[in-house]
Amino acid sequence: MRNSLIGLAGFALFSAGGAMAQDPGANAPVHYDVAFDNARHHEAQITATYRKVPTGPLRVQMSRSSPGRYAIHEFAKNVYRVSAADSAGRPLTVERTDPYSWTIAGHDGTVQVTYTLYADRGDGTYSQIDATHAHLNMPATFLWASGYDDKPIRVRFKRADPSWKVATQLPATSEADTYWAPNLQYFMDSPTEISDFALREWQVTDAGRTYTFRLALHHPGTDEDADKFADKLKKIVPEHIKVFGDLPKFDHGTYTFIADYMPQITGDGMEHRNSTFISNSQSLFRGNFVQLGTASHELFHAWNVERLRPAELEPFDFTKANPTPSLWLAEGFTQYYGPLLIRRSGQSTIDEYLKGLTGTLNGVVTGPGRSYGSPQDMSLRAPFVDAAAALDPTNANIFTSYYPYGAVIGLALDLQLRGRPTALTLDDYMRQLWRTHGAPEIPYKPADLRQALAALTGDAAFADSFFKASVEGSHLPDFEPLLAQAGLKLQRKAPKRAWLGAQRVRVNGSEVLLAEAPTPDSPLYAAGMESGDRILGVGRFEFATEADWQDALERLKPDEATRVRFIQRGQTREAPLKVAADPSLEIVRFEAAKLKPTKAQLAFRERWLGADMTPTTK
């Protein structure tokens, strides 16, 4: 997908300007033809033609994983009516050898495999076909043949509607609606949207090269909405470049935001080498352009993950889960920078940024998951949580997502670096990694991340201590003095408010149920309550609605000793309960906490977050 693109025999892949060269033309040994005649019923008919097939059976299969995802996804379940023919159109026998593959024998060196694909989930992992569009994630759409991994591919789309257009990072050929890829890895990493989308383009010049950024926007909004969103994207691009020092050398000189904001879509974002799939069921107007957050996150991935890449993900294996212990950086640092670069671009206020940062920090610091594992441990749990599906329940308390966990690690490192005698920043660290591993596309291992920090700071002891404590271990620094450097106050949000440890309650008619297991060491946990228990009352308070529950939390007092009544698996129980204080934290400016920041603190804040601003009309 990345380094595996370089040096394939038969044609040069990159020109001096960084773009792929030499369309493989009609001689590509793999051709796909895709038709959407039954789009209203979410079906596509796909024919895959393989030429120069060696003697013996040909095995074709559907992927079980997808670039950017870390869990198993059974795409073969939506493939049916599989048939095959040789070069003369004679039928060939197709044998289903396992749930994921089909074997075809008796061919004459050419095999044409035709199948129907059902697709009705529009997000970054799956595909969706309907009367408005074809939203195609390639591993969820195309079967592939063993032995053809390094062969060029051509794909031709038959549009269901004359108004439809094609948006993809795949380069076009001289044939209408036909595109090509140098190999399977690049093809599978190239999502495609076919619809009557709005297109906005602009150019960015960096290091003497000019790149085209494209927004392909499938949405129910107006041209004004499209212009406004494109303008917001334009403003964040320079801030991303500043972090790393330069743009990636985008293949073909383009980067494409493929945006689906339709009511039938599932919210998501998925990074790819020269594009991203971003989706939301709200329109831009209804969402108040909140979609910019996902777009910023995914754009950052063009550097961090797509080129600055964990070694465990290179090359990507489509037959299994692809785990790495480095998602705390790959996803977590991206999570840190996404909203930060929106702030630096002047599209959010400092208070708006701090509100989001509060939620991220609060969930990690006060949540239970950190006591069960380090950021590396949580990264390796990705195959169990990254949109993975299972029937048996899991203990929700033992996992803290590597997204916020890594973002908090990024915050900690950024503030520690900025507070050193010779001030550095997390931006400096990302540039160090970009120079050594990202720009040259040399996949990194966990030890490389530690070495880069040691090289940047000239302090191996600091790097060793940070990684041992906060990456391999679950220790976090004291954020109060770190944030105070920027004139920011970390404080308890509601220390006089009661807290019982319920992570989420659900109201079902007149029943108030614990929707998740209570936090360990919380009052409800100590009382023996579990997920699914019906809460009848606490002390003098009886519960029939969620409002009753909220009233109790408002009127109970921390340290109050009382009793809880509940029904657990058909048994009515009662247990002693000691009310605790709400542990939630918040980050506010000194000014909001009636403290006066110094000039040095304000300067630190501006260097980190950018100049403050008056809220804009979004």
Side-chain angles (χ1 to χ4, degrees), residues 416-468:
Q416 288 183 66
L417 288 172
R418 290 174 182 274
R420 289 175 65 83
T422 302
L424 294 164
T425 70
L426 193 66
D427 296 7
D428 295 319
Y429 180 55
M430 298 310 292
R431 279 193 290 274
Q432 174 79 10
L433 290 172
W434 180 247
R435 287 191 298 267
T436 56
H437 291 85
E441 300 200 45
I442 301 172
Y444 64 80
K445 296 182 179 179
D448 296 323
L449 302 178
R450 181 198 303 255
Q451 291 167 5
L453 184 59
L456 174 67
T457 60
D459 189 344
F462 168 75
D464 290 345
S465 174
F466 181 83
F467 270 80
K468 183 177 181 180

Side-chain angles (χ1 to χ4, degrees), residues 39-122:
R40 290 184 180 276
H41 295 287
H42 317 298
E43 288 186 341
Q45 181 164 297
I46 302 172
T47 297
T49 302
Y50 298 92
R51 297 186 175 91
K52 299 180 182 179
V53 180
T55 301
L58 177 72
R59 180 175 181 264
V60 295
Q61 62 189 308
M62 288 297 289
S63 299
R64 301 188 69 203
S65 57
S66 181
R69 286 289 184 215
Y70 309 102
I72 289 291
H73 300 278
E74 302 294 11
F75 300 124
K77 68 182 182 295
N78 283 322
V79 170
Y80 45 92
R81 294 177 184 157
V82 180
S83 63
D86 65 12
S87 61
R90 291 183 291 264
L92 298 173
T93 300
V94 178
E95 181 184 1
R96 187 101 183 233
T97 50
D98 58 48
Y100 325 107
S101 68
W102 298 261
T103 300
I104 302 149
H107 56 78
D108 59 359
T110 295
V111 175
Q112 294 181 337
V113 186
T114 299
Y115 61 97
T116 299
L117 174 79
Y118 180 86
D120 193 27
R121 182 179 173 89

Side-chain angles (χ1 to χ4, degrees), residues 54-257:
T55 301
L58 177 72
R59 180 175 181 264
V60 295
Q61 62 189 308
M62 288 297 289
S63 299
R64 301 188 69 203
S65 57
S66 181
R69 286 289 184 215
Y70 309 102
I72 289 291
H73 300 278
E74 302 294 11
F75 300 124
K77 68 182 182 295
N78 283 322
V79 170
Y80 45 92
R81 294 177 184 157
V82 180
S83 63
D86 65 12
S87 61
R90 291 183 291 264
L92 298 173
T93 300
V94 178
E95 181 184 1
R96 187 101 183 233
T97 50
D98 58 48
Y100 325 107
S101 68
W102 298 261
T103 300
I104 302 149
H107 56 78
D108 59 359
T110 295
V111 175
Q112 294 181 337
V113 186
T114 299
Y115 61 97
T116 299
L117 174 79
Y118 180 86
D120 193 27
R121 182 179 173 89
D123 63 9
T125 306
Y126 298 95
S127 296
Q128 183 174 71
I129 300 164
D130 59 34
T132 72
H133 72 157
H135 170 109
L136 306 178
N137 182 41
M138 300 325 216
T141 305
F142 293 96
L143 55 72
W144 48 277
S146 303
Y148 281 78
D149 303 49
D150 61 347
K151 300 296 190 292
I153 295 168
R154 283 168 72 90
V155 57
R156 178 170 56 197
F157 301 104
K158 179 184 176 183
R159 293 175 288 167
D161 187 301
S163 68
W164 285 12
K165 304 177 288 290
V166 180
T168 181
Q169 70 178 25
L170 294 170
T173 72
S174 57
E175 294 183 46
D177 300 327
T178 305
Y179 300 81
W180 71 277
N183 56 27
L184 181 69
Q185 290 273 331
Y186 193 89
F187 181 72
M188 289 297 198
D189 191 45
S190 302
T192 300
E193 167 73 15
I194 311 171
S195 64
D196 185 19
F197 55 77
L199 181 65
R200 300 291 185 271
E201 295 183 324
W202 66 97
Q203 279 69 49
V204 176
T205 299
D206 178 69
R209 295 186 176 92
T210 298
Y211 298 94
T212 297
F213 281 77
R214 305 183 295 200
L215 168 64
L217 176 61
H218 182 218
H219 73 135
T222 65
D223 286 343
E224 181 184 5
D225 293 337
D227 291 339
K228 188 172 182 178
F229 191 52
D231 185 62
K232 288 179 172 294
L233 294 174
K234 290 177 190 178
K235 289 177 179 177
I236 64 171
V237 171
E239 298 301 326
H240 285 70
I241 296 172
K242 288 176 187 176
V243 173
F244 293 96
D246 55 42
L247 272 171
K249 293 180 175 63
F250 293 124
D251 309 322
H252 318 291
T254 63
Y255 182 88
T256 306
F257 295 95

Side-chain angles (χ1 to χ4, degrees), residues 598-608:
T598 66
K599 289 183 178 179
Q601 287 171 323
L602 290 174
F604 185 109
R605 185 193 298 173
E606 185 166 337
R607 288 193 299 271
W608 172 32

Side-chain angles (χ1 to χ4, degrees), residues 361 479-480 483 488-492 585-588:
L361 184 68
F479 279 101
E480 187 170 357
L483 290 164
L488 302 177
K489 177 71 172 174
L490 179 65
Q491 60 188 19
R492 295 282 286 273
L585 304 171
E586 66 176 353
I587 306 168
V588 298

Side-chain angles (χ1 to χ4, degrees), residues 389-402:
L391 294 176
D392 58 320
T394 58
N395 186 347
N397 286 316
I398 69 170
F399 179 69
T400 295
S401 170
Y402 39 82

